[in-house]
Amino acid sequence: MRDTAQTAAPDTVLVVDFGAQYAQLIARRVREARVYSEVVPSTMPVAQMLAKEPKAIILSGGPSSVYAGDAPSIDRALFEAGVPVFGMCYGFQLMAQILGGTVDNTGNREYGRTDLHVSKSGSTLFEGTPDEQQVWMSHGDACSAAPEGFSVTASTGMVPVAAFENDERQLYGVQYHPEVMHSTHGQQVLEHFLYRGAGLSPSWTTTSVVDEQVTAIREQVGSKRALCGLSGGVDSAVAAALVQKAIGMQLTCVYVDHGLMRQGETEQVEKDFVAATGVQLKVVDAADRFLDALAGVSDPEQKRKIIGREFIRVFEQAQAELVAEAGAHGEDVAFLVQGTLYPDVVESGGGTGAANIKSHHNVGGLPEDLEFELVEPLRQLFKDEVRMVGQELGLPEEIVQRQPFPGPGLGIRIVGEVTRERLDLLRAADAIVREELTAAGLDREIWQCPVVLLADVRSVGVQGDGRTYGHPVVLRPVSSEDAMTADWSRLPYDVLGRISTRITNEVRDVNRVVLDVTSKPPGTIEWE
């Protein structure tokens, strides 16, 4: 597939990643301040960074020591370019060292919550914040002397230079991590850099995102036609809605019903999504085909491969039919819409523009030899931003706030062979869980709640006056920001009780409900 770059957003802040676990979080925090941001690797030449015409640059933390021989560095020219720069943790130490300050290993380490003393409360960074505040530290080295021309504006009990500022050169830095929630005034300090230090305005909104992308899509597609594979998830739905807004009837969506969706979700795509967007939708009913291919298969990896393979074949067939129909009318179908998000871009190449079509975008991934140019209107966005754009476009709440759902669907939430009967059991149990979580107002407090059917397990139970030998189901409620890590959600006991009672009363052949209380790591969110 060929990738086509999107138009650059105005007032961009670059986050230079020195190997920090928080680089994407910094970018998110900048966007929360309504300023657009991008993550770039520290290996990117400074000239290339400046060619992006950033309005400000943030240097992230990192695990290295600035004085180590193999430590990542950056050209001094960055600080001479007239672009406002904000260093955090490692980025702070690197700025100090390059500009003539002193960074060394004092033998004093600070990890976790630390008390910060602000010595110049009226400074650019700390205006309006308390003189004593809690911050999140993670360092073994320390800056003991600021570069010439810099004012020291904060310290800790162990670090004499925990923040410095040079308003004339618009260079700023802090030893701690303002981007994490444990730094009590961290977002305020970051916004002070953006608004006061760099002179930026909070103008990046969902409305501006929609307007920018509509313009970009129209320029890219022109008078040709585009296809979009709808999965029923948030990403593909919002991507399709954006493209539909831009080019209208030039877009056709394909929804492959593999028979592995949750209760009501196929109908939601067929009715609610079409009603909200007016998109042309081709629905392919392939449930029997998928179930036949999965017959007798219990191995989870094999199930994934089968589902992915069949999806590709069905999509290719639908695509060929649509292209043939369009060709008969003299139309050129030249574009494929993908719901690629910004974390996918960063993880697959640091935002350098490489087109990696990941399997989680569509079931099993799309064929790499499809002769289409990609349209990726969400390529700049994080998941929460995608939801906001969906709301801006008027998509139904049930679609916009839909919890993440795996591409292979319920096929990997049945431990054992996938059959029509087992799918019906799992759909019924899953529907009860979703109803009760919604009734309790917990939908947005949890990331997702997979319901797993242990089809190859039987447990003894008593229902009525008789002994039963039924299946257990597992509830897996988790809380997360990005699914890279997750913790199990502490749902109220009364909600869990109602869920258990309803499932064992209403779902035949299920006589036991259990709760998975494993974090990620060591467990994964899905069981298979």
Side-chain angles (χ1 to χ4, degrees), residues 66-90:
V66 292
Y67 51 77
D70 59 349
S73 189
I74 202 160
D75 195 317
R76 184 188 177 97
L78 178 73
F79 305 109
E80 310 294 342
V83 178
V85 181
F86 186 23
M88 299 178 179
C89 196
Y90 181 85

Side-chain angles (χ1 to χ4, degrees), residues 24-25 27-28 31 39 235 339-351 358 360-361 378-386 447 481-484:
Q24 284 194 42
L25 182 57
R28 288 173 63 92
R31 293 182 183 200
V39 178
D235 303 340
T340 309
L341 303 191
Y342 191 57
D344 305 326
V345 176
V346 174
E347 290 165 10
S348 63
K358 293 188 173 184
H360 59 264
H361 291 161
L378 310 181
R379 188 180 174 87
Q380 300 172 337
L381 306 180
F382 288 99
K383 191 79 170 188
D384 54 342
E385 295 167 338
V386 171
W447 173 263
E481 284 194 358
D482 53 15
M484 298 300 291

Side-chain angles (χ1 to χ4, degrees), residues 458-472:
R458 291 276 185 170
S459 64
V460 176
V462 176
Q463 290 174 304
D465 294 324
R467 173 188 173 98
T468 62
Y469 197 50
H471 299 291

Side-chain angles (χ1 to χ4, degrees), residues 393-426:
L393 292 168
L395 291 181
E397 192 79 357
E398 294 78 13
I399 292 177
V400 173
Q401 296 302 330
R402 182 178 187 264
Q403 294 180 355
F405 188 62
L410 299 179
I412 59 167
R413 290 185 179 174
I414 294 176
V415 179
E417 181 186 3
V418 179
T419 67
R420 194 178 305 276
E421 294 73 21
R422 290 174 173 181
L423 284 167
D424 289 341
L425 289 182
L426 183 51

